[in-house]
Amino acid sequence: MALFFSLQNFVVLLVLVLISLCLLPLARPFTVIMSDSSGLVDGPQSGYSINKNGIRTDPHEQEAVYDIMRATGNNWATDIPDVCRSRWHGIECMPDKDNIYHIVSLSFGALSDDTAFPPCDPTRSYISPSITKLPHLRTLLFYRCLSYIPQPIPTFLGKLGSTLQTLVLRENGHVGPIPSELGNLTHLRVLDLHKNNLNGSIPVSLGQVTGLRSLDLSGNRLTGSIPSLNFSVLNILDLSQNLLTGSIPPSLGTCHSLIKIDFNRNRLNGPIPNSISGLTNLMLLDLSYNSLSGPLPSPLRSLTSLQALNLKGNSMGSNPIPSHCFEGLKGLMVLVLSNMNLHGPIPESLGRLTNLRVLYLDNNFLNGSIPSNFQDLKNLSELRLNDNRLTGRVPLGRDMVWRMRSKLRLYNNSGLCYNANSGFEEDLDSWSHPGIGSCDMPKPESARIVRHLSTSGPTTFNVSSDAVFKFSVYVTLLQLTSFVLCTLTLIIAVKIFIL
């Protein structure tokens, strides 16, 4: 009986502790955010208060804003007596020396859950010509506003050349060519036409916009070649996912301020120009899924700021990986050279890139052994060497093997083997490197195909009979352990009930 009461008291105490732990977060201090009664105004105000007597929006610009709002299905805006003093998100105003407010920024569409720009009615929205009646406009943004009614980009936007600095027309379903009139926007800093249905070639007139810092024409159906580029302050150049042909222009090397170049998924051909050696500020270079030819240019090692390089899917014509090609890239974190028809050994210089996080060399014709200094790549979290002709021992320690787990892929290299106590033999999830056995054991004469189902569909791996037997033993032991634990639990429960 005393044992029963002690157990009962223990259960009660345990319940009280759990309740306390559940209520603990409710006892923490919290902050109440009160509504701001001071009348904060969205957009720059240059030290002027909107509560000053006599301050008002320019009447001509206000009428233009009414037209623009009606064109996007926001008829409610016409009931607002002063658009700059209404403080709605998506409009920014600045006063002049006479305390007259002028519209400097208009934004439409829900960029995210945190933004509250005026929405667009996609079934009837269009860009109103009244935008040209805003002589101080610096920023214009339309996001997913016109997708139900495909429309070309209005040529009248070229009339905003004296002031416009940012033009963003993302995912609007725009059709037709990029108007050459956009070349008149000589003060433009950002041009973003991402993911529309634009076709035709990149207008040469954009070369007149020499102050561009970001040019994003990705996700369209642009054709033709990349025109000569001469943007001295350009930081971001994204022409990916188009139908561009021809070679990469050597003039790209004159854009010394470039940080990001993304030309992936086009139809570009020819070699990577040696002029890229001048892009010492470049951090990301993605030329994947084109038809570029090799060999890999030695000037790549001059890109000392490079952090990510992706050349996947470019057949480099049975060339090797040059041993000196990546020597200067000490900050490189991502290197993807998959499906490139590369031959020869893996150079030891790759093992000296100690900042590497991701290294893909899969689906090539690489031979020889994995360099021993790969064990020094302590930051590596993903390694793909599968589908090559590699041989010899895998020089990776237990920590690396267990850290990467399924992100380590070595399969379809029939000559590879692992050292004892390297972690491979203990990894029950090692379907990323089937068929690779211990270097101290003879390879089985026969192997069979084991098919595993996953959410992405069936995948076939070549697993040795020894590996299958080892896996079945582990499963049997796991089932036996579960049975013993269940039995002990049942015995304890019966004893407590009897007591």
Side-chain angles (χ1 to χ4, degrees), residues 431-472:
W431 304 116
S432 52
H433 42 78
I436 299 176
S438 171
C439 297
D440 301 324
M441 296 181 62
K443 287 182 175 288
E445 294 182 0
S446 61
R448 63 190 182 92
I449 300 299
V450 178
R451 187 175 298 273
H452 300 273
L453 297 180
S454 65
T455 56
S456 59
T459 304
T460 301
F461 296 114
N462 193 12
V463 183
S464 67
S465 57
D466 179 69
V468 173
F469 173 77
K470 184 180 292 185
F471 179 74
S472 64

mmCIF file of all heavy atoms in Angstrom, residues 431-472:
data_model
loop_
_atom_site.group_PDB
_atom_site.id
_atom_site.type_symbol
_atom_site.label_atom_id
_atom_site.label_comp_id
_atom_site.label_asym_id
_atom_site.label_seq_id
_atom_site.Cartn_x
_atom_site.Cartn_y
_atom_site.Cartn_z
ATOM 1 N N TRP A 431 22.449 4.674 -49.217
ATOM 2 C CA TRP A 431 22.034 4.336 -50.581
ATOM 3 C C TRP A 431 22.657 5.292 -51.581
ATOM 4 O O TRP A 431 22.505 5.120 -52.782
ATOM 5 C CB TRP A 431 20.516 4.384 -50.671
ATOM 6 C CG TRP A 431 19.872 3.491 -49.673
ATOM 7 C CD1 TRP A 431 19.080 3.868 -48.642
ATOM 8 C CD2 TRP A 431 20.005 2.073 -49.575
ATOM 9 N NE1 TRP A 431 18.691 2.786 -47.904
ATOM 10 C CE2 TRP A 431 19.254 1.659 -48.465
ATOM 11 C CE3 TRP A 431 20.685 1.114 -50.312
ATOM 12 C CZ2 TRP A 431 19.161 0.333 -48.072
ATOM 13 C CZ3 TRP A 431 20.597 -0.205 -49.932
ATOM 14 C CH2 TRP A 431 19.843 -0.590 -48.832
ATOM 15 N N SER A 432 23.373 6.340 -51.091
ATOM 16 C CA SER A 432 24.045 7.261 -52.000
ATOM 17 C C SER A 432 25.381 6.704 -52.472
ATOM 18 O O SER A 432 26.009 7.282 -53.338
ATOM 19 C CB SER A 432 24.267 8.608 -51.315
ATOM 20 O OG SER A 432 24.898 8.420 -50.065
ATOM 21 N N HIS A 433 25.856 5.611 -51.868
ATOM 22 C CA HIS A 433 27.100 5.008 -52.351
ATOM 23 C C HIS A 433 27.019 3.484 -52.325
ATOM 24 O O HIS A 433 27.879 2.819 -51.742
ATOM 25 C CB HIS A 433 28.296 5.490 -51.519
ATOM 26 C CG HIS A 433 28.029 5.555 -50.044
ATOM 27 N ND1 HIS A 433 28.018 4.448 -49.241
ATOM 28 C CD2 HIS A 433 27.751 6.603 -49.257
ATOM 29 C CE1 HIS A 433 27.769 4.797 -47.993
ATOM 30 N NE2 HIS A 433 27.596 6.104 -47.971
ATOM 31 N N PRO A 434 25.985 2.897 -52.967
ATOM 32 C CA PRO A 434 25.886 1.437 -53.004
ATOM 33 C C PRO A 434 26.956 0.841 -53.912
ATOM 34 O O PRO A 434 27.439 1.490 -54.829
ATOM 35 C CB PRO A 434 24.485 1.201 -53.585
ATOM 36 C CG PRO A 434 24.240 2.394 -54.434
ATOM 37 C CD PRO A 434 24.885 3.536 -53.707
ATOM 38 N N GLY A 435 27.273 -0.414 -53.619
ATOM 39 C CA GLY A 435 28.231 -1.122 -54.453
ATOM 40 C C GLY A 435 29.673 -0.837 -54.102
ATOM 41 O O GLY A 435 30.572 -1.415 -54.688
ATOM 42 N N ILE A 436 29.917 0.076 -53.132
ATOM 43 C CA ILE A 436 31.289 0.387 -52.709
ATOM 44 C C ILE A 436 31.548 -0.373 -51.426
ATOM 45 O O ILE A 436 30.922 -0.112 -50.396
ATOM 46 C CB ILE A 436 31.465 1.899 -52.507
ATOM 47 C CG1 ILE A 436 31.194 2.621 -53.824
ATOM 48 C CG2 ILE A 436 32.855 2.223 -51.992
ATOM 49 C CD1 ILE A 436 31.247 4.122 -53.705
ATOM 50 N N GLY A 437 32.449 -1.326 -51.461
ATOM 51 C CA GLY A 437 32.722 -2.168 -50.308
ATOM 52 C C GLY A 437 34.008 -1.801 -49.620
ATOM 53 O O GLY A 437 34.718 -0.855 -50.001
ATOM 54 N N SER A 438 34.308 -2.561 -48.586
ATOM 55 C CA SER A 438 35.534 -2.350 -47.832
ATOM 56 C C SER A 438 36.739 -2.741 -48.677
ATOM 57 O O SER A 438 36.703 -3.720 -49.430
ATOM 58 C CB SER A 438 35.493 -3.167 -46.542
ATOM 59 O OG SER A 438 36.752 -3.142 -45.906
ATOM 60 N N CYS A 439 37.797 -1.964 -48.535
ATOM 61 C CA CYS A 439 39.026 -2.274 -49.287
ATOM 62 C C CYS A 439 39.669 -3.565 -48.786
ATOM 63 O O CYS A 439 40.503 -4.154 -49.486
ATOM 64 C CB CYS A 439 40.027 -1.132 -49.152
ATOM 65 S SG CYS A 439 39.445 0.432 -49.840
ATOM 66 N N ASP A 440 39.313 -4.013 -47.562
ATOM 67 C CA ASP A 440 39.927 -5.203 -46.977
ATOM 68 C C ASP A 440 39.162 -6.473 -47.300
ATOM 69 O O ASP A 440 39.565 -7.565 -46.904
ATOM 70 C CB ASP A 440 39.994 -5.045 -45.450
ATOM 71 C CG ASP A 440 40.800 -3.812 -45.059
ATOM 72 O OD1 ASP A 440 41.781 -3.521 -45.763
ATOM 73 O OD2 ASP A 440 40.434 -3.159 -44.062
ATOM 74 N N MET A 441 38.045 -6.340 -48.005
ATOM 75 C CA MET A 441 37.233 -7.511 -48.324
ATOM 76 C C MET A 441 37.158 -7.683 -49.829
ATOM 77 O O MET A 441 37.045 -6.705 -50.562
ATOM 78 C CB MET A 441 35.817 -7.369 -47.746
ATOM 79 C CG MET A 441 35.783 -7.316 -46.226
ATOM 80 S SD MET A 441 34.082 -7.182 -45.610
ATOM 81 C CE MET A 441 33.402 -8.722 -46.220
ATOM 82 N N PRO A 442 37.202 -8.938 -50.308
ATOM 83 C CA PRO A 442 37.064 -9.155 -51.759
ATOM 84 C C PRO A 442 35.669 -8.796 -52.218
ATOM 85 O O PRO A 442 34.689 -8.986 -51.501
ATOM 86 C CB PRO A 442 37.333 -10.660 -51.917
ATOM 87 C CG PRO A 442 36.993 -11.247 -50.579
ATOM 88 C CD PRO A 442 37.365 -10.199 -49.557
ATOM 89 N N LYS A 443 35.579 -8.272 -53.405
ATOM 90 C CA LYS A 443 34.281 -7.915 -53.976
ATOM 91 C C LYS A 443 33.493 -9.180 -54.299
ATOM 92 O O LYS A 443 34.048 -10.154 -54.789
ATOM 93 C CB LYS A 443 34.458 -7.081 -55.254
ATOM 94 C CG LYS A 443 34.917 -5.669 -54.997
ATOM 95 C CD LYS A 443 35.019 -4.922 -56.301
ATOM 96 C CE LYS A 443 35.362 -3.461 -56.083
ATOM 97 N NZ LYS A 443 34.242 -2.735 -55.522
ATOM 98 N N PRO A 444 32.193 -9.166 -54.006
ATOM 99 C CA PRO A 444 31.381 -10.338 -54.365
ATOM 100 C C PRO A 444 31.303 -10.487 -55.874
ATOM 101 O O PRO A 444 31.337 -9.520 -56.618
ATOM 102 C CB PRO A 444 30.006 -10.006 -53.768
ATOM 103 C CG PRO A 444 29.996 -8.503 -53.662
ATOM 104 C CD PRO A 444 31.419 -8.106 -53.379
ATOM 105 N N GLU A 445 31.208 -11.794 -56.283
ATOM 106 C CA GLU A 445 31.179 -12.051 -57.714
ATOM 107 C C GLU A 445 29.869 -11.612 -58.349
ATOM 108 O O GLU A 445 29.824 -11.269 -59.512
ATOM 109 C CB GLU A 445 31.394 -13.554 -57.970
ATOM 110 C CG GLU A 445 32.785 -14.028 -57.553
ATOM 111 C CD GLU A 445 32.978 -15.490 -57.857
ATOM 112 O OE1 GLU A 445 32.019 -16.110 -58.386
ATOM 113 O OE2 GLU A 445 34.057 -16.033 -57.603
ATOM 114 N N SER A 446 28.805 -11.668 -57.578
ATOM 115 C CA SER A 446 27.507 -11.318 -58.138
ATOM 116 C C SER A 446 26.893 -10.191 -57.339
ATOM 117 O O SER A 446 27.157 -10.034 -56.157
ATOM 118 C CB SER A 446 26.568 -12.528 -58.132
ATOM 119 O OG SER A 446 26.352 -12.965 -56.804
ATOM 120 N N ALA A 447 26.106 -9.430 -57.999
ATOM 121 C CA ALA A 447 25.367 -8.347 -57.351
ATOM 122 C C ALA A 447 23.955 -8.377 -57.884
ATOM 123 O O ALA A 447 23.692 -8.900 -58.960
ATOM 124 C CB ALA A 447 26.023 -6.984 -57.643
ATOM 125 N N ARG A 448 23.059 -7.834 -57.110
ATOM 126 C CA ARG A 448 21.697 -7.814 -57.600
ATOM 127 C C ARG A 448 21.121 -6.420 -57.449
ATOM 128 O O ARG A 448 21.639 -5.610 -56.691
ATOM 129 C CB ARG A 448 20.835 -8.829 -56.857
ATOM 130 C CG ARG A 448 20.682 -8.576 -55.376
ATOM 131 C CD ARG A 448 20.017 -9.784 -54.703
ATOM 132 N NE ARG A 448 19.797 -9.589 -53.274
ATOM 133 C CZ ARG A 448 18.697 -9.103 -52.752
ATOM 134 N NH1 ARG A 448 17.719 -8.713 -53.563
ATOM 135 N NH2 ARG A 448 18.545 -8.980 -51.453
ATOM 136 N N ILE A 449 20.073 -6.166 -58.181
ATOM 137 C CA ILE A 449 19.429 -4.861 -58.184
ATOM 138 C C ILE A 449 18.369 -4.813 -57.094
ATOM 139 O O ILE A 449 17.518 -5.701 -57.021
ATOM 140 C CB ILE A 449 18.799 -4.565 -59.544
ATOM 141 C CG1 ILE A 449 19.875 -4.576 -60.630
ATOM 142 C CG2 ILE A 449 18.082 -3.212 -59.535
ATOM 143 C CD1 ILE A 449 20.950 -3.540 -60.445
ATOM 144 N N VAL A 450 18.444 -3.834 -56.235
ATOM 145 C CA VAL A 450 17.431 -3.625 -55.203
ATOM 146 C C VAL A 450 16.713 -2.335 -55.531
ATOM 147 O O VAL A 450 17.347 -1.301 -55.733
ATOM 148 C CB VAL A 450 18.075 -3.540 -53.803
ATOM 149 C CG1 VAL A 450 16.991 -3.263 -52.753
ATOM 150 C CG2 VAL A 450 18.789 -4.841 -53.484
ATOM 151 N N ARG A 451 15.398 -2.413 -55.574
ATOM 152 C CA ARG A 451 14.608 -1.241 -55.955
ATOM 153 C C ARG A 451 13.953 -0.670 -54.705
ATOM 154 O O ARG A 451 13.290 -1.369 -53.947
ATOM 155 C CB ARG A 451 13.544 -1.637 -56.972
ATOM 156 C CG ARG A 451 12.794 -0.453 -57.548
ATOM 157 C CD ARG A 451 11.847 -0.912 -58.635
ATOM 158 N NE ARG A 451 12.540 -1.524 -59.758
ATOM 159 C CZ ARG A 451 13.021 -0.849 -60.790
ATOM 160 N NH1 ARG A 451 12.886 0.457 -60.826
ATOM 161 N NH2 ARG A 451 13.626 -1.467 -61.779
ATOM 162 N N HIS A 452 14.161 0.633 -54.488
ATOM 163 C CA HIS A 452 13.585 1.313 -53.338
ATOM 164 C C HIS A 452 12.629 2.367 -53.846
ATOM 165 O O HIS A 452 12.910 3.087 -54.801
ATOM 166 C CB HIS A 452 14.692 1.985 -52.511
ATOM 167 C CG HIS A 452 15.687 1.010 -51.999
ATOM 168 N ND1 HIS A 452 15.537 0.337 -50.809
ATOM 169 C CD2 HIS A 452 16.869 0.567 -52.539
ATOM 170 C CE1 HIS A 452 16.567 -0.460 -50.620
ATOM 171 N NE2 HIS A 452 17.389 -0.342 -51.648
ATOM 172 N N LEU A 453 11.497 2.453 -53.180
ATOM 173 C CA LEU A 453 10.482 3.423 -53.571
ATOM 174 C C LEU A 453 10.608 4.657 -52.716
ATOM 175 O O LEU A 453 10.872 4.588 -51.529
ATOM 176 C CB LEU A 453 9.080 2.818 -53.398
ATOM 177 C CG LEU A 453 8.779 1.607 -54.277
ATOM 178 C CD1 LEU A 453 7.372 1.121 -53.989
ATOM 179 C CD2 LEU A 453 8.936 1.961 -55.752
ATOM 180 N N SER A 454 10.420 5.798 -53.344
ATOM 181 C CA SER A 454 10.428 7.073 -52.636
ATOM 182 C C SER A 454 9.347 7.941 -53.221
ATOM 183 O O SER A 454 8.689 7.589 -54.191
ATOM 184 C CB SER A 454 11.791 7.768 -52.779
ATOM 185 O OG SER A 454 12.020 8.120 -54.116
ATOM 186 N N THR A 455 9.198 9.129 -52.638
ATOM 187 C CA THR A 455 8.158 10.035 -53.118
ATOM 188 C C THR A 455 8.448 10.536 -54.515
ATOM 189 O O THR A 455 7.557 10.978 -55.226
ATOM 190 C CB THR A 455 8.043 11.238 -52.177
ATOM 191 O OG1 THR A 455 9.329 11.866 -52.065
ATOM 192 C CG2 THR A 455 7.572 10.792 -50.801
ATOM 193 N N SER A 456 9.697 10.464 -54.931
ATOM 194 C CA SER A 456 10.041 10.951 -56.262
ATOM 195 C C SER A 456 9.994 9.855 -57.313
ATOM 196 O O SER A 456 10.395 10.063 -58.441
ATOM 197 C CB SER A 456 11.435 11.583 -56.232
ATOM 198 O OG SER A 456 12.378 10.634 -55.815
ATOM 199 N N GLY A 457 9.538 8.643 -56.910
ATOM 200 C CA GLY A 457 9.464 7.559 -57.881
ATOM 201 C C GLY A 457 10.514 6.516 -57.609
ATOM 202 O O GLY A 457 11.429 6.691 -56.791
ATOM 203 N N PRO A 458 10.468 5.388 -58.288
ATOM 204 C CA PRO A 458 11.417 4.311 -58.041
ATOM 205 C C PRO A 458 12.808 4.662 -58.530
ATOM 206 O O PRO A 458 12.987 5.274 -59.571
ATOM 207 C CB PRO A 458 10.818 3.134 -58.834
ATOM 208 C CG PRO A 458 10.004 3.772 -59.908
ATOM 209 C CD PRO A 458 9.472 5.038 -59.315
ATOM 210 N N THR A 459 13.811 4.244 -57.729
ATOM 211 C CA THR A 459 15.199 4.463 -58.083
ATOM 212 C C THR A 459 15.921 3.135 -57.990
ATOM 213 O O THR A 459 15.730 2.382 -57.025
ATOM 214 C CB THR A 459 15.853 5.478 -57.138
ATOM 215 O OG1 THR A 459 15.086 6.676 -57.181
ATOM 216 C CG2 THR A 459 17.282 5.791 -57.578
ATOM 217 N N THR A 460 16.742 2.801 -58.929
ATOM 218 C CA THR A 460 17.434 1.525 -58.962
ATOM 219 C C THR A 460 18.867 1.703 -58.525
ATOM 220 O O THR A 460 19.581 2.577 -59.027
ATOM 221 C CB THR A 460 17.394 0.939 -60.386
ATOM 222 O OG1 THR A 460 16.036 0.777 -60.768
ATOM 223 C CG2 THR A 460 18.089 -0.412 -60.413
ATOM 224 N N PHE A 461 19.317 0.868 -57.542
ATOM 225 C CA PHE A 461 20.691 0.919 -57.085
ATOM 226 C C PHE A 461 21.298 -0.480 -57.223
ATOM 227 O O PHE A 461 20.615 -1.501 -57.076
ATOM 228 C CB PHE A 461 20.776 1.349 -55.618
ATOM 229 C CG PHE A 461 20.281 2.740 -55.366
ATOM 230 C CD1 PHE A 461 19.142 2.961 -54.610
ATOM 231 C CD2 PHE A 461 20.950 3.823 -55.906
ATOM 232 C CE1 PHE A 461 18.691 4.230 -54.380
ATOM 233 C CE2 PHE A 461 20.509 5.088 -55.678
ATOM 234 C CZ PHE A 461 19.367 5.299 -54.904
ATOM 235 N N ASN A 462 22.580 -0.532 -57.390
ATOM 236 C CA ASN A 462 23.304 -1.785 -57.496
ATOM 237 C C ASN A 462 23.920 -2.096 -56.140
ATOM 238 O O ASN A 462 24.914 -1.497 -55.761
ATOM 239 C CB ASN A 462 24.380 -1.653 -58.574
ATOM 240 C CG ASN A 462 24.939 -3.013 -58.952
ATOM 241 O OD1 ASN A 462 24.390 -4.038 -58.589
ATOM 242 N ND2 ASN A 462 26.037 -2.987 -59.689
ATOM 243 N N VAL A 463 23.309 -3.016 -55.365
ATOM 244 C CA VAL A 463 23.745 -3.296 -54.004
ATOM 245 C C VAL A 463 24.265 -4.722 -53.926
ATOM 246 O O VAL A 463 23.618 -5.659 -54.396
ATOM 247 C CB VAL A 463 22.566 -3.101 -53.017
ATOM 248 C CG1 VAL A 463 23.035 -3.309 -51.591
ATOM 249 C CG2 VAL A 463 21.973 -1.720 -53.186
ATOM 250 N N SER A 464 25.406 -4.912 -53.307
ATOM 251 C CA SER A 464 25.977 -6.247 -53.198
ATOM 252 C C SER A 464 25.159 -7.108 -52.246
ATOM 253 O O SER A 464 24.479 -6.612 -51.354
ATOM 254 C CB SER A 464 27.419 -6.145 -52.699
ATOM 255 O OG SER A 464 27.438 -5.665 -51.369
ATOM 256 N N SER A 465 25.246 -8.449 -52.409
ATOM 257 C CA SER A 465 24.496 -9.361 -51.554
ATOM 258 C C SER A 465 24.956 -9.254 -50.106
ATOM 259 O O SER A 465 24.165 -9.439 -49.178
ATOM 260 C CB SER A 465 24.664 -10.793 -52.066
ATOM 261 O OG SER A 465 26.042 -11.134 -52.105
ATOM 262 N N ASP A 466 26.227 -8.937 -49.865
ATOM 263 C CA ASP A 466 26.743 -8.769 -48.509
ATOM 264 C C ASP A 466 26.085 -7.591 -47.815
ATOM 265 O O ASP A 466 25.720 -7.656 -46.638
ATOM 266 C CB ASP A 466 28.258 -8.589 -48.556
ATOM 267 C CG ASP A 466 28.846 -8.393 -47.167
ATOM 268 O OD1 ASP A 466 28.842 -9.351 -46.369
ATOM 269 O OD2 ASP A 466 29.283 -7.263 -46.883
ATOM 270 N N ALA A 467 25.904 -6.491 -48.555
ATOM 271 C CA ALA A 467 25.271 -5.304 -47.974
ATOM 272 C C ALA A 467 23.815 -5.577 -47.642
ATOM 273 O O ALA A 467 23.303 -5.138 -46.615
ATOM 274 C CB ALA A 467 25.384 -4.122 -48.940
ATOM 275 N N VAL A 468 23.125 -6.344 -48.524
ATOM 276 C CA VAL A 468 21.727 -6.676 -48.271
ATOM 277 C C VAL A 468 21.596 -7.555 -47.039
ATOM 278 O O VAL A 468 20.721 -7.363 -46.193
ATOM 279 C CB VAL A 468 21.108 -7.377 -49.495
ATOM 280 C CG1 VAL A 468 19.708 -7.870 -49.191
ATOM 281 C CG2 VAL A 468 21.101 -6.429 -50.669
ATOM 282 N N PHE A 469 22.504 -8.547 -46.882
ATOM 283 C CA PHE A 469 22.468 -9.419 -45.709
ATOM 284 C C PHE A 469 22.702 -8.623 -44.431
ATOM 285 O O PHE A 469 22.018 -8.806 -43.421
ATOM 286 C CB PHE A 469 23.526 -10.518 -45.859
ATOM 287 C CG PHE A 469 23.679 -11.359 -44.606
ATOM 288 C CD1 PHE A 469 22.739 -12.330 -44.288
ATOM 289 C CD2 PHE A 469 24.752 -11.177 -43.754
ATOM 290 C CE1 PHE A 469 22.866 -13.092 -43.151
ATOM 291 C CE2 PHE A 469 24.875 -11.934 -42.611
ATOM 292 C CZ PHE A 469 23.939 -12.911 -42.299
ATOM 293 N N LYS A 470 23.690 -7.699 -44.459
ATOM 294 C CA LYS A 470 23.986 -6.885 -43.285
ATOM 295 C C LYS A 470 22.787 -6.038 -42.909
ATOM 296 O O LYS A 470 22.438 -5.873 -41.739
ATOM 297 C CB LYS A 470 25.204 -6.015 -43.556
ATOM 298 C CG LYS A 470 25.639 -5.190 -42.337
ATOM 299 C CD LYS A 470 26.858 -4.336 -42.647
ATOM 300 C CE LYS A 470 28.073 -5.181 -42.876
ATOM 301 N NZ LYS A 470 29.289 -4.362 -43.063
ATOM 302 N N PHE A 471 22.124 -5.479 -43.891
ATOM 303 C CA PHE A 471 20.957 -4.651 -43.628
ATOM 304 C C PHE A 471 19.829 -5.482 -42.997
ATOM 305 O O PHE A 471 19.152 -5.056 -42.067
ATOM 306 C CB PHE A 471 20.467 -4.003 -44.921
ATOM 307 C CG PHE A 471 19.252 -3.152 -44.756
ATOM 308 C CD1 PHE A 471 19.345 -1.909 -44.152
ATOM 309 C CD2 PHE A 471 18.013 -3.584 -45.187
ATOM 310 C CE1 PHE A 471 18.233 -1.125 -43.982
ATOM 311 C CE2 PHE A 471 16.896 -2.800 -45.024
ATOM 312 C CZ PHE A 471 16.996 -1.573 -44.424
ATOM 313 N N SER A 472 19.612 -6.726 -43.485
ATOM 314 C CA SER A 472 18.549 -7.571 -42.942
ATOM 315 C C SER A 472 18.843 -7.957 -41.498
ATOM 316 O O SER A 472 17.933 -8.071 -40.679
ATOM 317 C CB SER A 472 18.384 -8.821 -43.810
ATOM 318 O OG SER A 472 19.553 -9.615 -43.762
#
